[in-house]
Amino acid sequence: MDLGLKIFSFVILNYNTYDETLDCIKYLKQLENQDMINIIVVDNNSTDRSGIEIEKYYINDNQVTVLFSNANLGFARGNNIGFEHAKYKQNADFIILCNSDTELLNKDFCKIVIDDYDKYGFALLGPKIILPDNSIQGFIVNGIPTKKDIYKILLSVNLNYFKMKYNINFNVRRKRKNDNIEDSLVSNNVVLNKTLSGCFYVFSKKYIELFDGLDNRTFMYGEEVLLSIILHKHDLITIYDPNIVINHLVGASIDSENNNLVKKQKFLVDNVNKSMKVVLKELNSLKYY
């Protein structure tokens, strides 16, 4: 198949994750069609000189660009530095935001993405995500987020923090897993318009032409549901393609700064609470919610 002259720009946000970032790049360099691939590392003001060391490592590699932020801007704004470089400097047809702790397993990734774009005209694509215990990461929300979904997320993270902080063990009755979600995840069929995990996003020109990256009102957490709402407002298509597979090692950049469970959970709770206020404001702009 003639893939044409398509440009794929991968953006990796680095914060004290030298080894993970190098491993992520290693997998990207094993893909087919290397002449179509650019790799952008955004160092989010790391405290361990990892960005400087990554730049040294790839100093003679024209495929890899290292950009530096003079402050820790969080997930959305940090990624947006790379997104804008890919959009305006590299004229990318597809921009991929991938966590430093992800490993892309499909060597024919470019071909699959182009085939999916030709078939579905997606704005956003997400892959099957394999977690360290070999389970498949589920959808953040089964469809477009609602206020009920947001309140469930808030209840869950705040309750977990309360239990952890005060060492309280009690069981909360859980709703049975949604069989439709499970079927979608384990099948080999493309699924449309779910709320996807933010660890690996593929944006097409349909998104790139409208936006300069992610909504920058959040620091960390909540980006997935906010993005899903914005895509819905603009009638843009999201697809989940389980034929693209990544390993997600989970949480390397957060763990590098939060070295105990209670502190990590407090970081999560504080940022989720702030982010969900933004999400609820966006939902309120949709008249039927």
Side-chain angles (χ1 to χ4, degrees):
M1 175 183 178
D2 182 9
L3 301 182
L5 297 175
K6 301 296 183 184
I7 299 173
F8 288 74
S9 292
F10 289 82
V11 177
I12 306 169
L13 188 62
N14 176 74
Y15 182 76
N16 296 345
T17 54
Y18 177 82
D19 291 332
E20 291 84 359
T21 298
L22 291 192
D23 285 343
C24 180
I25 294 172
K26 178 188 73 176
Y27 277 86
L28 299 182
K29 282 182 166 289
Q30 294 174 1
L31 303 181
E32 298 169 358
N33 309 108
Q34 285 292 307
D35 58 325
M36 299 165 60
I37 293 172
N38 298 313
I39 300 169
I40 303 165
V41 176
V42 178
D43 185 71
N44 209 7
N45 199 34
S46 293
T47 60
D48 65 352
R49 292 178 53 86
S50 55
I52 295 170
E53 294 304 318
I54 292 167
E55 184 181 46
K56 287 181 182 177
Y57 192 93
Y58 291 105
I59 190 68
N60 295 317
D61 189 332
N62 293 329
Q63 188 183 25
V64 179
T65 301
V66 182
L67 306 176
F68 291 88
S69 170
N70 58 11
N72 183 350
L73 300 177
F75 183 81
R77 285 184 289 166
N79 270 301
N80 287 352
I81 292 174
F83 192 103
E84 292 183 17
H85 186 88
K87 176 176 178 176
Y88 293 109
K89 300 294 186 181
Q90 298 179 345
N91 194 29
D93 297 286
F94 298 95
I95 298 176
I96 302 92
L97 304 184
C98 52
N99 282 17
S100 61
D101 57 359
T102 58
E103 301 169 345
L104 177 57
L105 304 182
N106 301 79
K107 291 188 177 180
D108 59 346
F109 171 80
C110 295
K111 178 184 182 302
I112 298 173
V113 169
I114 291 173
D115 285 345
D116 280 345
Y117 184 74
D118 289 343
K119 185 173 183 179
Y120 299 100
F122 69 84
L124 174 66
L125 178 150
K128 179 186 289 185
I129 301 167
I130 307 299
L131 299 174
D133 63 359
N134 289 320
S135 65
I136 301 172
Q137 183 166 328
F139 303 123
I140 304 300
V141 175
N142 186 22
I144 307 303
T146 65
K147 288 183 180 179
K148 184 177 180 181
D149 294 319
I150 305 311
Y151 292 133
K152 283 182 179 178
I153 293 171
L154 286 169
L155 176 62
S156 176
V157 296
N158 282 278
L159 184 60
N160 285 339
Y161 174 64
F162 181 84
K163 290 165 63 178
M164 188 176 296
K165 182 177 180 180
Y166 297 103
N167 196 25
I168 297 173
N169 290 316
F170 55 86
N171 294 322
V172 177
R173 188 165 60 92
R174 296 181 180 274
K175 184 179 178 182
R176 187 171 63 87
K177 287 183 179 180
N178 187 312
D179 292 333
N180 291 328
I181 294 179
E182 293 299 309
D183 289 345
S184 297
L185 289 168
V186 300
S187 75
N188 289 323
N189 299 321
V190 169
V191 181
L192 273 63
N193 297 330
K194 305 295 184 182
T195 298
L196 307 174
S197 168
C199 68
F200 194 98
Y201 278 152
V202 182
F203 294 99
S204 78
K205 277 286 191 183
K206 291 198 173 183
Y207 184 93
I208 296 167
E209 289 173 354
L210 292 176
F211 304 102
D212 286 343
L214 301 172
D215 191 302
N216 64 10
R217 288 176 290 173
T218 60
F219 181 82
M220 188 172 288
Y221 303 114
E223 294 84 8
E224 296 105 334
V225 288
L226 189 55
L227 177 60
S228 185
I229 295 165
I230 291 169
L231 288 165
H232 178 67
K233 287 178 69 173
H234 288 82
D235 294 319
L236 296 172
I237 295 171
T238 297
I239 70 170
Y240 163 79
D241 188 347
N243 299 297
I244 298 175
V245 182
I246 69 164
N247 288 329
H248 186 201
L249 306 179
V250 183
S253 62
I254 298 169
D255 289 340
S256 68
E257 187 169 277
N258 298 273
N259 54 15
N260 65 68
L261 289 176
V262 174
K263 185 178 178 182
K264 180 178 178 179
Q265 191 69 22
K266 180 66 163 58
F267 178 84
L268 186 152
V269 166
D270 288 345
N271 282 282
V272 168
N273 288 339
K274 292 175 184 177
S275 296
M276 291 307 155
K277 290 181 181 178
V278 178
V279 172
L280 287 169
K281 182 177 180 180
E282 195 67 33
L283 275 175
N284 285 333
S285 70
L286 301 178
K287 293 181 180 179
Y288 53 86
Y289 281 101

